Amino acid sequence: MSKPLQIDFVSDISCPWCIIGLQGLEQALAELGPDVQANITFQPFELNPSMAAEGQDLVEHIAEKYGSSPEESAENRQRIRERAEAVGFEMNNAGPGLRIYNTFDAHRLLHWAEGFGLQQPLKHALFTAYFTDGENPSSHVVLVNVAEDVGLDPVEAAEVLATNRYADEVRALEREWVDAGIQSVPSIVFDRQYLLSGGQPPEAFKSAIENILQQRETAAS
């Protein structure tokens, strides 16, 4: 019998470790096969909620936020590229001109997409638009195009973005997860009980899920 598993994936699309973690999780679930019936819900978290719409130079931002030198920043991006490649994701985060952007509207669009069962493909498409294609995920034009690419109505997507639809809902969800103790992303919460943090490899996710299911069975017996 297939075992249901609720997974809340708390993340931001400007977080490279979030797509690395998502790829790892999905590969683990593929290895586990039909025995696990996972329901993944993407929960909002903004790494830079005060970021202006035009964004900021990435190297400058990292230096201000973490005190990293340009050389340290470049080395870290190289490590991230290698980790992303290991889980099958192409990350173009080298070279000049890289920027980080405000992601609140992207989170509103993801909240809307959940009602159509298209949250997961939209999440992937947003990661690709930003990290692979170098697009601006705060641009409504970019967001509408990405939404259309995954099968969402571009007219309604544009309407969502042009108004404050789902702003209150997304803010409430952000507060809920912060109040629950989430301070960094990705944070992956299983059955609202078990937390696994960071861009973990597939084997870490697989082991964690197997342990959770075993604990569930033990508690039920």
Side-chain angles (χ1 to χ4, degrees), residues 76-93:
N76 186 51
R77 292 199 305 277
Q78 174 62 28
R79 285 194 295 271
I80 289 171
R81 280 197 302 279
E82 292 170 357
R83 285 290 304 277
E85 183 179 1
V87 289
F89 184 81
E90 180 185 354
M91 187 164 293
N92 295 322
N93 64 349

Side-chain angles (χ1 to χ4, degrees), residues 95-162:
L98 297 169
R99 299 186 71 78
I100 193 160
Y101 298 95
N102 187 288
T103 57
F104 184 67
D105 284 344
H107 285 298
R108 290 198 297 122
L109 206 62
L110 283 160
H111 187 83
W112 167 66
E114 183 181 5
F116 300 94
L118 291 171
Q119 198 182 40
Q120 194 161 348
L122 179 60
K123 187 77 168 183
H124 273 284
L126 288 168
F127 278 131
T128 298
Y130 179 50
F131 286 116
T132 306
D133 300 335
E135 300 277 7
N136 175 358
S138 70
S139 163
H140 288 188
V141 172
V142 170
L143 292 173
V144 169
N145 288 339
V146 171
E148 185 175 18
D149 286 344
V150 301
L152 290 159
D153 182 354
V155 175
E156 188 174 358
E159 180 184 320
V160 169
L161 294 168

Side-chain angles (χ1 to χ4, degrees), residues 1-4 32-37 213:
M1 179 181 293
S2 182
K3 302 167 185 175
L32 290 165
D35 287 345
V36 179
Q37 185 62 44
L213 296 177

Side-chain angles (χ1 to χ4, degrees), residues 4 6-7 64 111 132-133 142 158 160 168 196 208 212:
Q6 174 60 39
I7 303 174
E64 290 181 1
H111 187 83
T132 306
D133 300 335
V142 170
V160 169
D168 291 342
L196 186 61
I212 289 166

Side-chain angles (χ1 to χ4, degrees), residues 151-174:
L152 290 159
D153 182 354
V155 175
E156 188 174 358
E159 180 184 320
V160 169
L161 294 168
T163 64
N164 283 323
R165 279 173 66 184
Y166 307 116
D168 291 342
E169 291 88 341
V170 169
R171 292 292 188 212
L173 285 168
E174 288 179 325

Side-chain angles (χ1 to χ4, degrees), residues 41-56:
T41 301
F42 293 93
Q43 303 290 358
F45 188 102
E46 291 175 86
L47 288 170
N48 302 288
S50 300
M51 181 65 66
E54 67 272 15
Q56 182 183 14

